[in-house]
Amino acid sequence: MCESNGYDFIADKLKEYLGLKKSPVAIKFVLREDDIPEGVPKADEKLRHCQLVQKASGGSVFYATAEEQMCKGGAAALGLQEAPEKVKTGEFYYGLGRFSSLGSARKTMESIPKIDPIMYALVYAPLEKANFDPDVIIVIANPAQALKLSQALVYTMGGRVEADFAGIQSICADAVAGPFLRRRPNITLGCSGSRQYADIKEDDVIVGLTGENIGCVINALENMS
C-alpha cells in the first residue's frame, strides 16, 4: 500500500516532476449541506464547471451547488441535478451539428458517464489548499506532461491507461464523473465548451485522477525521476 502525504506536498511534487504551470484541482462530492468542509465558502458567481475548475487552479477554494452551475448538462453529469431533456436525448448536440443523426447523438449521450442526481454540491480547491480528501484530482497538462503522468500510473501495477471521451462534456463527465464512478483515471482532450469558455488551450489535455491512489502516483514519479 502506498502512503499519502499532505496535499500541499503532493501538489508541489506534481508541479515539480511534471513541470505544471497550474495547480492540480481537488474535487470533492458532497451529499448533504452539513458535509461541506469547514471554512469553505459558496461560489460567489455562476459559472460552468470547467470555468470553476480553472478558477480553483488559480487559487480559489469554494463549493458550488446546481444553482452556481451555469452549464446544466455538466451539472447533470456531476450528479447535481437531472439532465435537461434535450441533453439527455442528444437533441441539443445534434442541433449544434456535432452528430449526423439524432440516433448517433443519443447513443453517445447514453454512453457518457453520469452520476445519479443525488449530490448537494462539489467542493473545488487547488490541491495545495485542500483541507479534505479529494475524490478526483484534475490535472491540466500538455501532452508531454500527460505522457509522464501516464507512465507513473502504470509504474507500480502495470497495465494500460485508457482514454475514454467523445469530445463533449469533457471536464465534467470525462475528467470527473468517469473517474469517480469507475475508480480509475481518465484522459480527455477537452470539448468545444471548455475551450470556448474556460480557456483550455490548443495544446492542453485533461487528466482526471482518483484521489485514493495519488500517493502511488507521486512515488512513481519520484522513482522515475
Side-chain angles (χ1 to χ4, degrees):
M1 182 175 178
C2 299
E3 292 186 5
S4 176
N5 298 281
Y7 293 114
D8 54 346
F9 173 87
I10 290 173
D12 286 345
K13 289 301 179 183
L14 282 172
K15 291 177 183 178
E16 176 186 346
Y17 294 135
L18 299 178
L20 298 175
K21 294 180 180 179
K22 295 183 177 180
S23 291
V25 175
I27 302 285
K28 181 177 180 63
F29 287 90
V30 176
L31 281 170
R32 296 171 294 272
E33 184 175 5
D34 291 344
D35 296 330
I36 297 291
E38 185 176 355
V40 174
K42 182 182 283 192
D44 58 4
E45 57 185 330
K46 190 171 183 177
L47 295 170
R48 293 165 177 81
H49 165 75
C50 49
Q51 293 174 303
L52 294 170
V53 168
Q54 289 282 40
K55 183 175 181 176
S57 73
S60 298
V61 180
F62 52 89
Y63 73 90
T65 68
E67 290 299 314
E68 290 75 51
Q69 297 277 351
M70 184 180 292
C71 174
K72 297 308 179 184
L78 297 166
L80 294 169
Q81 66 172 72
E82 291 283 356
E85 191 63 24
K86 288 187 176 182
V87 171
K88 187 187 301 184
T89 62
E91 184 179 351
F92 173 75
Y93 293 103
Y94 174 61
L96 292 177
R98 296 285 186 270
F99 296 93
S100 65
S101 68
L102 184 58
S104 59
R106 187 182 189 111
K107 178 181 179 181
T108 301
M109 292 311 299
E110 288 173 349
S111 67
I112 284 176
K114 297 174 287 292
I115 298 170
D116 290 337
I118 59 173
M119 300 297 173
Y120 171 73
L122 266 67
V123 182
Y124 301 76
L127 185 58
E128 63 269 20
K129 293 184 180 180
N131 65 342
F132 53 85
D133 291 327
D135 294 304
V136 176
I137 296 169
I138 301 173
V139 177
I140 299 174
N142 64 39
Q145 293 164 339
L147 166 63
K148 189 174 291 187
L149 193 51
S150 298
Q151 292 171 334
L153 289 170
V154 300
Y155 179 85
T156 303
M157 299 298 293
R160 293 179 64 80
V161 178
E162 297 180 12
D164 177 52
F165 58 90
I168 57 176
Q169 295 196 344
S170 178
I171 300 182
C172 49
D174 295 347
V176 178
F180 177 76
L181 289 170
R182 299 165 179 168
R183 310 317 307 155
R184 64 174 185 264
N186 190 34
I187 298 175
T188 180
L189 299 182
C191 58
S192 299
S194 61
R195 293 188 181 278
Q196 180 176 354
Y197 298 111
D199 197 33
I200 298 298
K201 306 297 187 185
E202 284 188 358
D203 58 350
D204 283 343
V205 298
I206 299 93
V207 184
L209 303 171
T210 55
E212 63 261 27
N213 72 345
I214 191 64
C216 293
V217 172
I218 297 301
N219 288 344
L221 288 170
E222 185 172 17
N223 289 332
M224 286 174 7
S225 69

